[in-house]
Amino acid sequence: MKIAIAGASGRMGKTLIEAVIQHPDCSLAGAFDLPAATCLGRDAGDFMGAQTGILITDNIESALQGADVLIDFTRPEGTLKHLEICQRLGVKAVIGTTGFEPKQLEQLKSFAKHMAMVWSPNMAVGVNATFKLLEVAAKILNQGYDIEIIEAHHNKKVDAPSGTALRMGEVIAQSIGVDLKDVGVFAREGITGERQHGTIGFSTIRGGDIVGDHTVLFAGTGERIEITHKSASRMTYAQGSIRAASYLMQHPTGMFDMQDVLGLKKVVV
């Protein structure tokens, strides 16, 4: 499976390159970054002392030539631009980008009519197992419990709450039959009054080099249930992305997520 990597000089890009190089069933087909990137012209494996023969370029089209799948964890504007080229070249895509506005999400979904892609706010297998656990917990704890979602990430992350936290909120809301847009509380300041029953609160922490921590708190009278996932390495996202890329090889078109990749939608709760 020939894989191209977007954002090759970033932390996630480097992790993806390392994962592809180390995977026995994958080869690096291309790597690209922005024109201002200082790594342009260097071997994509230089950062880890490996020679891949693939030079990092700012020419997206040339980087995608011959690739089966693009893995992209960049920014919404860039991702949509990359997908236009993928569609033209017949390249499938695994998208880990977060922070899409509603109109951008519609654009993203429109590409799936002509190509196959996996888009998920979090590619880690453990996180997606956590989504399923939250679905079960929300159905059991749908009365008498206040729900809060707390997430923490590194100080370079530009969107908040994280895509994973929002997806956790959506899973819970769907499980109890409400719309997150109606019950989500994303900011509290000053005299807010008592907590409104049935809301789902979000708290965001940004600091240091935290890879990604998410906790969902179900707070009842006399007890608390906490479901937590902590990421210690970006490699979990990379390995999940490769698993998603392999899944796409069976599909010519369509929009999928990691729940499809892992077969979790078939698990009845």
Side-chain angles (χ1 to χ4, degrees):
M1 188 166 51
K2 300 175 182 177
I3 297 178
I5 304 298
S9 65
R11 287 172 294 183
M12 192 64 220
K14 289 178 179 178
T15 304
L16 287 163
I17 289 169
E18 182 179 354
V20 169
I21 291 173
Q22 293 176 347
H23 199 286
D25 298 324
C26 295
S27 63
L28 188 65
F32 61 91
D33 213 318
L34 297 171
T38 58
C39 63
L40 297 183
R42 296 177 60 182
D43 191 281
D46 272 356
F47 72 95
M48 56 182 293
Q51 294 299 302
T52 65
I54 299 296
L55 302 182
I56 300 175
T57 179
D58 61 355
N59 188 319
I60 302 167
E61 191 152 346
S62 68
L64 290 174
Q65 291 286 346
D68 297 313
V69 182
L70 167 68
I71 302 180
D72 188 330
F73 279 70
T74 59
R75 301 282 179 85
E77 297 80 6
T79 295
L80 293 173
K81 178 182 176 182
H82 304 159
L83 288 176
E84 290 179 7
I85 301 173
C86 284
Q87 180 180 310
R88 188 167 71 248
L89 297 179
V91 178
K92 305 173 192 293
V94 173
I95 306 299
T97 303
T98 60
F100 288 100
E101 297 292 336
K103 287 185 178 179
Q104 292 174 320
L105 272 178
E106 291 305 312
Q107 287 181 266
L108 183 73
K109 293 174 183 177
S110 70
F111 283 109
K113 299 175 183 177
H114 310 285
M115 58 182 287
M117 71 173 73
V118 170
W119 174 63
S120 178
N122 197 306
M123 296 289 175
V125 173
V127 165
N128 283 276
T130 302
F131 290 155
K132 203 68 182 179
L133 295 175
L134 290 173
E135 184 181 343
V136 176
K139 289 180 178 179
I140 298 171
L141 307 173
N142 63 355
Q143 294 182 16
Y145 292 83
D146 296 322
I147 303 169
E148 293 286 322
I149 300 173
I150 306 101
E151 59 100 343
H153 282 83
H154 53 86
N155 56 23
K156 304 298 183 185
K157 187 168 178 60
V158 299
D159 59 313
S162 70
T164 301
L166 288 171
R167 182 59 191 149
M168 287 176 165
E170 290 169 353
V171 168
I172 293 166
Q174 289 168 5
S175 296
I176 59 180
V178 297
D179 191 326
L180 184 61
K181 294 178 182 177
D182 299 327
V183 300
V185 176
F186 300 95
R188 296 188 181 104
E189 184 178 4
I191 301 173
T192 60
E194 293 186 3
R195 190 184 197 282
Q196 186 176 346
H197 175 70
T199 56
I200 299 174
F202 289 80
S203 299
T204 297
I205 297 167
R206 293 288 176 269
D209 62 354
I210 302 170
V211 175
D213 294 351
H214 294 85
T215 294
V216 179
L217 169 66
F218 295 86
T221 302
E223 65 177 359
R224 298 191 305 273
I225 299 95
E226 296 181 11
I227 298 178
T228 297
H229 180 277
K230 295 186 177 183
S231 293
S233 168
R234 290 177 178 81
M235 189 56 73
T236 58
Y237 309 142
Q239 291 169 342
S241 297
I242 291 175
R243 194 161 170 176
S246 178
Y247 176 86
L248 284 180
M249 302 308 290
Q250 311 164 34
H251 301 277
T253 61
M255 169 75 80
F256 307 97
D257 60 22
M258 284 301 289
Q259 300 287 301
D260 294 304
V261 173
L262 301 174
L264 291 174
K265 290 181 177 177
K266 300 176 182 176
V267 178
V268 179
V269 297

